[in-house]
Amino acid sequence: MAFTGLMAVAFQCMVLVAAAPPSDYPIAPVPFTAVHFQDGFWLPRLETNRTVTIPYCFSKCEETGRIENFKVAGGLSDKAWRGGAGFDDSDVSKIIEGAAYSLAVKPDAKLEAYLDQLIGYYAAAQEKDGFLYTYWTARHTVKDPKRVACRPEKERWDNIASAHQLYNAGHMYEAAVAHYQATGKRTLLEIALRNADLVCSEFNENGRRDPPGHQEIEIGLAKLYRVTGQKKYLDQAKFFLEQRGRATGRRLYGPYSQDHKPVVEQSEAVGHAVRANYMYAGMADVAALTGDRRYLQAVDRIWENVVGRKLYLTGGVGARGGGEAYGDDYELPNLTAYCETCAAIANCLWNHRMFLLHGDGKYIDVLERSLYNGVLSGIGLDGKSFFYPNPLESDGRHARSPWFGCACCPSNICRFMPSIPGYVYAVRGDELFVNLYVGGKADFELGRQKLTITQQTRYPWDGTISLRIEPQQSPARFVLKLRIPGWAQGKPVPSDLYRYLDDHPEQPSLKLNGQPLPCQPTAGYVAIDRQWQSGDTVELSFPMPVRRVVAHPAVEDCRGKVALERGPIVFCVEHADVPQGKVLNLLLPDDAVLQSRFRPDLLSGVQVIEGTAQSTRFEKTADGGKRIQQQPVNFTAIPYYAWAHRGQGEMTVWLARSLEVARPLPAPTTASTAKASSSGGDPSALNDQREPKSSGDHSNKFLHWWPRKGTTEWVQYDLARPTEVRAVEVYWFDDTGRGECRIPESWRLLYRRDGQWLPVEEPSGFGCEKDKYNRCQFKPVTTDGLRIEVKLQPNWSAGIHEWRVEP
Ligand SMILES: [Zn+2]
């Protein structure tokens, strides 16, 4: 990919490139360096990424030893290698990639000098033959080798299934190409090429045949091929893909790493979602660059599977936390949705490539959905608070984090954000695709014609877009292909996984220089083929009513529920926008009137949806039964991407449409009206009246004392009023097989009298059994406070799901 506007670099590139690649994608993106956002939505986010996120993430890498590790490996520091995993190197490379993109659009001498310094550490850390993996090279300095997850055991390429040597390499190649294209400097590129040459000589038909456990190097190698013209790098990418699912002298890694069958025979998205989507992107690259139709057919089949059965409404993928993985068909739980930020980014990378292969707008529909929702939710408005998983529902346990031990997501944000302008336009021969609508200006070449195109719009808040076309020499004949988003054609996704509940009569419209044109898209685009004059103006109008969306009935967790959308934005209801902060018990009838308006004061300026829902709650009836009571409450729904900026609490994308699926709040009890406190953990879990399915149920909120072990702990209720109490019931948390919490060794119950804690008399027993309530009946006492003292088992921690009190 050439970078328009950097003629010196482009010239240098031409001199250096041995031979032009014989084939590539039939469609070429207009590079991000040629597309300048001037809008109120993306530009501020990109500026925050440039001025906050990138420097912040570099400082986090310094703080956590990620950068020092290169110096340690290179003999420039006598400190010990620090970190939790061998893949920590990749974070630095991803941020360098993002910084290089940032330099490409905004020169910054200080940043460039900082990168030079980092690249110096890379050079020092690289072994003579090109090997570069700081953990291995610096391993003798590691203080606690047990802390280093997935390390090579005996030799440096050892444990390639989980040690990430090749994953790191892939990110370094991407960073090297970005740095070279941004600055014209070959420093990092030379390091990358030396490493790639070593990889090519080690991994081949006559050498090692084990593919990387975590895909990524395939994308990096394709980029090295494009920038050097050396076919061996492309061959190497294909070699790694060809090894997957083929047990030649090795044991297969299995579906977790998409190593269960040859890639060209795969039809279903399985396993670790980031690995999977990077692999599908790599397969698309190989399909485009080699013309191998088996690859094309395989990614087409897998795409149908994801978009038809495994895609969240937010464009996120990866349903399961266990294995960070794709689930089965239609397995799309909301509270426990994993939807890793990296997987959403990878989904954009893959869908963009699918578009470049096929030229169909449906791929951009998926990209746009991921971009505005599942990706953007991963980065806070401040540019330095992150989500790793992006669930579609919260009971209050989720919060943005300043960093992660495994920091793949923040560093991925660093590099992805500056590349977004590169998704707006693309060209094929005399066709110009307009894929995304963002206010701003682009200057690029279409054939031999220089062209400026200016977009004016308030998208995604408003569906009116004005495009001004200025060919340098007019008239200029070309085909302008305007994407008519699926959501504007009544189809939220290009499958039957989600559909709009309501019909909307207003259709998209199109005008050329004020004259209406037909707006009937083919494969997602309306084409205008004409002799363009400078100043020609195209106006698009996409009506943006509030839409109700329902899911395919096979999606169990969405059955009977509705979500709200407007344009490309998915909305959610959050605790801060509802009285008492309760949203999981809300019911939104189909006939409830919904309105939308822009709130400049809220969350950096967002469109909101307002309406009246029904808050549902159980109440006791005179005959001892219970019925559901409904109470109207006004609510405000905000864009999903902007949630979790106002404290922790409930959030949901999907709302019940009827009483059958509503989740009413339980009737108030002695426990639920008590004030809970504890010696550790989150005491609000004790009396939230949400029932666990088992002691190991991680989806239900629980209190735990981990990492404390073997200690004596307590939980306490201050009752709303003095009450006669005769029994309590405790449901223990125990995550045997997963974590370090076990049922406790013993416990006892105290009650408060005159400010003193006294043990209850004649207790029926203090059970420590799993998967049930442990009931303790005793001689009734009238009290204003109860306390449970818990003795933890030696070497084990403990926790409680729920603590009930019987008056
Ligand atoms: Zn990640």
Side-chain angles (χ1 to χ4, degrees), residues 579-639:
Q580 275 108 52
K582 295 288 182 194
V583 306
L584 300 181
N585 63 326
L586 291 183
L587 182 165
L588 184 66
D590 289 351
D591 58 0
V593 178
L594 300 170
Q595 270 158 351
S596 183
R597 66 180 173 117
F598 189 71
R599 285 270 307 269
D601 56 312
L602 187 66
L603 299 162
S604 302
V606 287
Q607 194 80 21
V608 297
I609 297 172
E610 293 165 331
T612 303
Q614 298 293 322
S615 174
T616 62
R617 174 186 281 274
F618 282 114
E619 64 178 10
K620 291 204 177 97
T621 54
D623 60 359
K626 60 181 183 179
R627 65 185 185 100
I628 299 172
Q629 181 217 19
Q630 294 185 50
Q631 196 183 2
V633 287
N634 294 334
F635 74 95
T636 298
I638 59 162

Coordinates of all heavy atoms in Angstrom, one line a residue, residues 579-639:
P579 N -34.4 5.5 37.7 CA -34.5 5.6 39.2 C -34.1 4.3 39.9 O -34.4 3.2 39.4 CB -36.0 5.9 39.4 CG -36.5 6.3 38.0 CD -35.6 5.7 37.0
Q580 N -33.5 4.4 41.0 CA -33.0 3.3 41.9 C -31.9 2.5 41.2 O -31.5 1.5 41.7 CB -34.1 2.4 42.3 CG -34.8 2.9 43.6 CD -36.2 3.4 43.3 OE1 -37.0 2.7 42.7 NE2 -36.5 4.6 43.8
G581 N -31.6 2.8 39.9 CA -30.5 2.1 39.3 C -30.7 0.7 38.9 O -29.8 0.0 38.5
K582 N -32.0 0.3 38.9 CA -32.3 -1.1 38.5 C -32.8 -1.1 37.0 O -33.8 -0.5 36.7 CB -33.4 -1.6 39.4 CG -33.1 -1.8 40.8 CD -32.1 -2.9 41.0 CE -31.7 -3.1 42.5 NZ -30.5 -4.0 42.7
V583 N -32.1 -1.9 36.2 CA -32.5 -2.0 34.8 C -32.8 -3.4 34.4 O -33.5 -3.6 33.4 CB -31.4 -1.4 33.8 CG1 -31.1 0.0 34.2 CG2 -30.2 -2.2 33.8
L584 N -32.2 -4.4 35.1 CA -32.4 -5.8 34.6 C -33.9 -6.3 34.8 O -34.3 -7.2 34.2 CB -31.5 -6.7 35.4 CG -30.0 -6.4 35.2 CD1 -29.1 -7.4 36.0 CD2 -29.6 -6.4 33.7
N585 N -34.7 -5.5 35.6 CA -36.1 -5.9 35.8 C -37.0 -5.1 34.9 O -38.2 -5.2 35.1 CB -36.4 -5.7 37.3 CG -36.3 -4.2 37.7 OD1 -35.5 -3.5 37.2 ND2 -37.2 -3.8 38.5
L586 N -36.4 -4.3 34.0 CA -37.3 -3.5 33.2 C -38.0 -4.3 32.1 O -37.4 -5.3 31.6 CB -36.5 -2.4 32.5 CG -35.9 -1.3 33.4 CD1 -35.2 -0.2 32.6 CD2 -37.1 -0.6 34.3
L587 N -39.2 -3.8 31.7 CA -39.9 -4.4 30.6 C -40.3 -3.3 29.7 O -40.8 -2.2 30.1 CB -41.2 -5.0 31.3 CG -42.2 -5.8 30.5 CD1 -43.1 -6.6 31.5 CD2 -43.1 -5.0 29.6
L588 N -40.0 -3.5 28.4 CA -40.4 -2.4 27.4 C -41.4 -3.0 26.5 O -41.1 -3.7 25.5 CB -39.1 -2.0 26.7 CG -39.3 -0.9 25.7 CD1 -39.6 0.4 26.4 CD2 -38.1 -0.7 24.8
P589 N -42.7 -2.6 26.7 CA -43.7 -3.1 25.8 C -43.5 -2.6 24.4 O -42.9 -1.5 24.2 CB -45.0 -2.5 26.4 CG -44.6 -2.0 27.8 CD -43.2 -1.7 27.7
D590 N -44.0 -3.4 23.4 CA -43.8 -3.0 22.0 C -44.4 -1.7 21.6 O -44.0 -1.1 20.7 CB -44.3 -4.1 21.1 CG -43.5 -5.4 21.2 OD1 -42.4 -5.3 21.8 OD2 -43.9 -6.4 20.6
D591 N -45.5 -1.3 22.4 CA -46.2 -0.1 22.0 C -45.7 1.1 22.8 O -46.2 2.2 22.7 CB -47.7 -0.2 22.2 CG -48.1 -0.6 23.6 OD1 -47.1 -0.8 24.5 OD2 -49.3 -0.8 23.9
A592 N -44.6 1.0 23.6 CA -44.1 2.1 24.4 C -43.5 3.1 23.4 O -42.8 2.7 22.4 CB -43.0 1.7 25.3
V593 N -43.8 4.4 23.6 CA -43.4 5.4 22.6 C -41.9 5.8 23.0 O -41.6 5.9 24.1 CB -44.3 6.7 22.8 CG1 -43.7 7.8 21.9 CG2 -45.7 6.3 22.4
L594 N -41.1 5.8 21.9 CA -39.7 6.1 22.1 C -39.3 7.4 21.4 O -39.7 7.5 20.2 CB -38.8 4.9 21.7 CG -39.1 3.6 22.4 CD1 -38.4 2.5 21.7 CD2 -38.7 3.7 23.9
Q595 N -38.5 8.2 22.0 CA -38.0 9.4 21.3 C -36.5 9.5 21.4 O -35.9 9.0 22.3 CB -38.7 10.6 21.9 CG -40.0 10.9 21.2 CD -41.0 11.7 22.1 OE1 -40.8 11.9 23.2 NE2 -42.1 12.1 21.4
S596 N -36.0 10.3 20.5 CA -34.5 10.4 20.5 C -34.1 11.9 20.4 O -34.8 12.7 19.7 CB -33.9 9.7 19.3 OG -32.5 9.8 19.4
R597 N -33.1 12.2 21.1 CA -32.6 13.6 21.0 C -31.1 13.6 21.3 O -30.6 12.6 21.9 CB -33.3 14.6 22.0 CG -33.1 14.3 23.4 CD -33.9 15.3 24.3 NE -33.8 14.9 25.7 CZ -33.3 15.6 26.7 NH1 -32.7 16.8 26.4 NH2 -33.3 15.2 27.9
F598 N -30.4 14.7 21.0 CA -29.0 14.8 21.2 C -28.8 15.5 22.5 O -29.4 16.5 22.8 CB -28.3 15.6 20.1 CG -26.8 15.5 20.1 CD1 -26.1 14.3 19.9 CD2 -26.1 16.6 20.5 CE1 -24.8 14.3 20.0 CE2 -24.7 16.6 20.6 CZ -24.0 15.4 20.3
R599 N -27.9 14.9 23.3 CA -27.6 15.5 24.6 C -26.1 15.9 24.6 O -25.2 15.1 24.9 CB -27.8 14.4 25.7 CG -29.2 14.1 26.1 CD -29.8 15.0 27.2 NE -28.9 15.0 28.4 CZ -29.1 14.2 29.4 NH1 -30.0 13.3 29.4 NH2 -28.3 14.3 30.5
P600 N -25.8 17.2 24.3 CA -24.4 17.6 24.2 C -23.7 17.5 25.6 O -22.5 17.4 25.7 CB -24.5 19.0 23.8 CG -25.9 19.5 24.0 CD -26.7 18.3 24.0
D601 N -24.5 17.5 26.7 CA -23.9 17.6 28.0 C -23.5 16.2 28.5 O -22.8 16.0 29.5 CB -25.0 18.1 29.0 CG -26.3 17.3 28.9 OD1 -26.7 17.0 27.8 OD2 -26.8 16.9 30.0
L602 N -24.0 15.1 27.8 CA -23.8 13.8 28.4 C -22.7 13.0 27.6 O -22.7 12.9 26.4 CB -25.2 13.1 28.2 CG -25.3 11.7 28.9 CD1 -25.2 11.8 30.4 CD2 -26.6 11.0 28.5
L603 N -21.8 12.5 28.4 CA -20.8 11.5 27.8 C -20.1 12.0 26.5 O -20.1 11.4 25.5 CB -21.5 10.2 27.6 CG -22.0 9.5 28.8 CD1 -23.0 8.4 28.5 CD2 -20.9 8.9 29.7
S604 N -19.6 13.2 26.6 CA -19.0 13.9 25.5 C -19.9 14.2 24.3 O -19.5 14.5 23.2 CB -17.8 13.1 25.0 OG -16.8 12.9 26.0
G605 N -21.2 14.1 24.6 CA -22.2 14.4 23.5 C -22.7 13.1 22.9 O -21.9 12.5 22.1
V606 N -23.9 12.7 23.2 CA -24.4 11.5 22.6 C -25.9 11.7 22.3 O -26.6 12.5 22.9 CB -24.3 10.3 23.6 CG1 -22.9 9.8 23.7 CG2 -24.9 10.5 24.9
Q607 N -26.4 11.0 21.3 CA -27.8 10.8 21.0 C -28.3 9.9 22.1 O -27.7 8.9 22.4 CB -28.0 10.2 19.6 CG -29.4 10.4 19.1 CD -29.7 11.7 18.5 OE1 -28.8 12.5 18.1 NE2 -30.9 12.0 18.4
V608 N -29.5 10.2 22.6 CA -30.1 9.3 23.6 C -31.5 8.9 23.1 O -32.1 9.6 22.2 CB -30.2 9.9 25.0 CG1 -28.8 10.2 25.6 CG2 -31.1 11.1 25.0
I609 N -32.0 7.8 23.7 CA -33.4 7.4 23.4 C -34.1 7.5 24.7 O -33.6 7.0 25.7 CB -33.4 6.0 22.8 CG1 -32.7 5.9 21.5 CG2 -34.9 5.5 22.7 CD1 -32.5 4.5 20.9
E610 N -35.3 8.1 24.7 CA -36.0 8.2 26.0 C -37.4 7.6 25.8 O -38.0 7.6 24.7 CB -36.2 9.7 26.3 CG -34.8 10.3 26.7 CD -34.8 11.8 26.7 OE1 -35.6 12.5 26.0 OE2 -34.0 12.4 27.5
G611 N -37.9 7.1 26.9 CA -39.2 6.5 26.9 C -39.6 6.1 28.3 O -39.0 6.4 29.3
T612 N -40.8 5.4 28.4 CA -41.3 4.9 29.7 C -41.3 3.4 29.6 O -41.9 2.8 28.7 CB -42.7 5.5 30.0 OG1 -42.5 6.9 29.9 CG2 -43.1 5.0 31.3
A613 N -40.6 2.7 30.5 CA -40.7 1.3 30.6 C -41.4 0.9 31.9 O -41.9 1.8 32.6 CB -39.2 0.7 30.7
Q614 N -41.6 -0.4 32.1 CA -42.2 -0.9 33.3 C -41.2 -1.5 34.2 O -40.5 -2.4 33.8 CB -43.3 -1.9 33.0 CG -44.5 -1.4 32.1 CD -45.3 -0.3 32.8 OE1 -45.6 -0.5 34.0 NE2 -45.7 0.7 32.1
S615 N -41.1 -1.0 35.4 CA -40.2 -1.6 36.4 C -41.1 -2.8 37.1 O -42.2 -2.5 37.5 CB -39.8 -0.6 37.4 OG -39.1 -1.2 38.5
T616 N -40.5 -4.0 37.1 CA -41.3 -5.1 37.6 C -40.7 -5.6 38.9 O -39.5 -5.6 39.1 CB -41.3 -6.3 36.6 OG1 -40.0 -6.7 36.4 CG2 -41.9 -5.8 35.3
R617 N -41.6 -6.0 39.8 CA -41.2 -6.5 41.2 C -42.2 -7.4 41.7 O -43.4 -7.3 41.4 CB -41.1 -5.2 42.1 CG -40.8 -5.6 43.5 CD -40.9 -4.3 44.4 NE -39.7 -3.4 44.2 CZ -38.6 -3.6 45.0 NH1 -38.6 -4.6 45.9 NH2 -37.6 -2.8 44.8
F618 N -41.8 -8.5 42.3 CA -42.7 -9.4 43.0 C -43.3 -8.8 44.2 O -42.5 -8.0 44.9 CB -42.0 -10.7 43.4 CG -41.8 -11.7 42.2 CD1 -40.5 -12.0 41.8 CD2 -42.9 -12.2 41.6 CE1 -40.4 -12.8 40.7 CE2 -42.7 -13.1 40.5 CZ -41.5 -13.4 40.1
E619 N -44.5 -9.0 44.5 CA -45.1 -8.6 45.8 C -45.9 -9.7 46.4 O -46.5 -10.5 45.6 CB -45.9 -7.3 45.7 CG -47.1 -7.4 44.8 CD -47.9 -6.1 44.8 OE1 -47.3 -5.1 45.3 OE2 -49.0 -6.1 44.3
K620 N -45.9 -9.8 47.7 CA -46.7 -10.9 48.3 C -48.2 -10.6 48.3 O -48.6 -9.4 48.4 CB -46.2 -11.0 49.8 CG -44.8 -11.5 49.9 CD -44.6 -12.1 51.3 CE -43.2 -12.7 51.4 NZ -42.2 -11.8 52.1
T621 N -49.0 -11.6 48.1 CA -50.4 -11.4 48.1 C -50.9 -11.9 49.5 O -50.2 -12.5 50.2 CB -51.1 -12.3 47.0 OG1 -50.6 -13.7 47.2 CG2 -50.7 -11.9 45.6
A622 N -52.2 -11.5 49.7 CA -52.8 -11.7 51.1 C -52.8 -13.2 51.4 O -52.6 -13.6 52.5 CB -54.2 -11.2 51.1
D623 N -52.9 -14.1 50.4 CA -53.0 -15.5 50.6 C -51.6 -16.2 50.7 O -51.5 -17.4 50.6 CB -53.9 -16.2 49.6 CG -53.4 -16.0 48.2 OD1 -52.3 -15.3 48.0 OD2 -54.0 -16.5 47.2
G624 N -50.6 -15.4 50.8 CA -49.2 -16.0 50.9 C -48.5 -16.2 49.6 O -47.4 -16.6 49.5
G625 N -49.2 -16.0 48.5 CA -48.6 -16.2 47.1 C -47.9 -15.0 46.7 O -47.6 -14.1 47.6
K626 N -47.5 -14.9 45.4 CA -46.9 -13.6 45.0 C -47.4 -13.3 43.6 O -47.7 -14.2 42.8 CB -45.4 -13.8 45.1 CG -44.8 -14.9 44.2 CD -43.3 -14.9 44.4 CE -42.6 -16.0 43.5 NZ -41.2 -16.0 43.6
R627 N -47.3 -12.0 43.3 CA -47.7 -11.6 41.9 C -46.7 -10.5 41.5 O -46.0 -9.9 42.4 CB -49.1 -11.1 41.9 CG -49.4 -9.9 42.7 CD -50.9 -9.5 42.7 NE -51.1 -8.3 43.4 CZ -51.3 -7.1 42.9 NH1 -51.3 -7.0 41.5 NH2 -51.4 -6.0 43.6
I628 N -46.7 -10.2 40.2 CA -45.8 -9.2 39.7 C -46.5 -7.8 39.7 O -47.6 -7.7 39.1 CB -45.3 -9.6 38.3 CG1 -44.6 -10.9 38.4 CG2 -44.4 -8.5 37.8 CD1 -44.2 -11.5 37.0
Q629 N -45.8 -6.9 40.3 CA -46.3 -5.5 40.3 C -45.5 -4.8 39.2 O -44.3 -4.9 39.1 CB -46.0 -5.0 41.7 CG -46.5 -3.6 41.9 CD -45.6 -2.8 42.8 OE1 -44.4 -3.1 43.0 NE2 -46.1 -1.7 43.3
Q630 N -46.2 -3.9 38.5 CA -45.5 -3.1 37.4 C -45.6 -1.6 37.8 O -46.7 -1.2 38.2 CB -46.1 -3.3 36.1 CG -45.9 -4.7 35.5 CD -46.5 -4.8 34.1 OE1 -46.2 -4.0 33.2 NE2 -47.3 -5.8 33.9
Q631 N -44.6 -0.9 37.5 CA -44.6 0.5 37.8 C -43.9 1.2 36.7 O -42.8 0.9 36.3 CB -43.9 0.8 39.1 CG -44.2 2.1 39.7 CD -43.3 2.4 41.0 OE1 -42.5 1.5 41.4 NE2 -43.5 3.5 41.5
P632 N -44.6 2.2 36.1 CA -43.9 2.9 35.0 C -42.7 3.7 35.4 O -42.8 4.4 36.5 CB -45.0 3.9 34.4 CG -46.2 3.8 35.4 CD -45.9 2.7 36.4
V633 N -41.6 3.6 34.7 CA -40.4 4.5 35.0 C -39.9 5.1 33.7 O -39.9 4.4 32.7 CB -39.3 3.7 35.7 CG1 -39.6 3.3 37.1 CG2 -38.9 2.4 34.9
N634 N -39.5 6.3 33.8 CA -38.9 6.9 32.6 C -37.4 6.5 32.6 O -36.7 6.4 33.6 CB -38.9 8.5 32.8 CG -40.3 9.0 32.7 OD1 -41.2 8.3 32.2 ND2 -40.6 10.1 33.4
F635 N -37.0 6.2 31.4 CA -35.6 5.8 31.2 C -35.0 6.5 30.0 O -35.6 7.0 29.2 CB -35.5 4.2 31.0 CG -35.9 3.8 29.6 CD1 -35.0 3.6 28.6 CD2 -37.3 3.6 29.4 CE1 -35.4 3.2 27.4 CE2 -37.7 3.2 28.1 CZ -36.7 3.0 27.1
T636 N -33.6 6.5 30.1 CA -32.8 7.1 29.0 C -31.9 6.0 28.6 O -31.2 5.4 29.4 CB -32.0 8.3 29.5 OG1 -32.9 9.3 29.9 CG2 -31.1 8.8 28.4
A637 N -31.9 5.6 27.3 CA -30.9 4.7 26.8 C -29.8 5.5 26.1 O -30.0 6.5 25.4 CB -31.5 3.8 25.7
I638 N -28.5 5.0 26.4 CA -27.3 5.7 25.8 C -26.7 4.7 24.8 O -26.9 3.5 24.8 CB -26.3 6.0 26.9 CG1 -25.9 4.8 27.7 CG2 -26.9 7.1 27.9 CD1 -24.6 4.9 28.5
P639 N -25.8 5.3 23.9 CA -25.1 4.4 23.1 C -24.3 3.4 23.9 O -23.6 3.7 24.9 CB -24.1 5.3 22.3 CG -24.9 6.6 22.3 CD -25.5 6.7 23.6

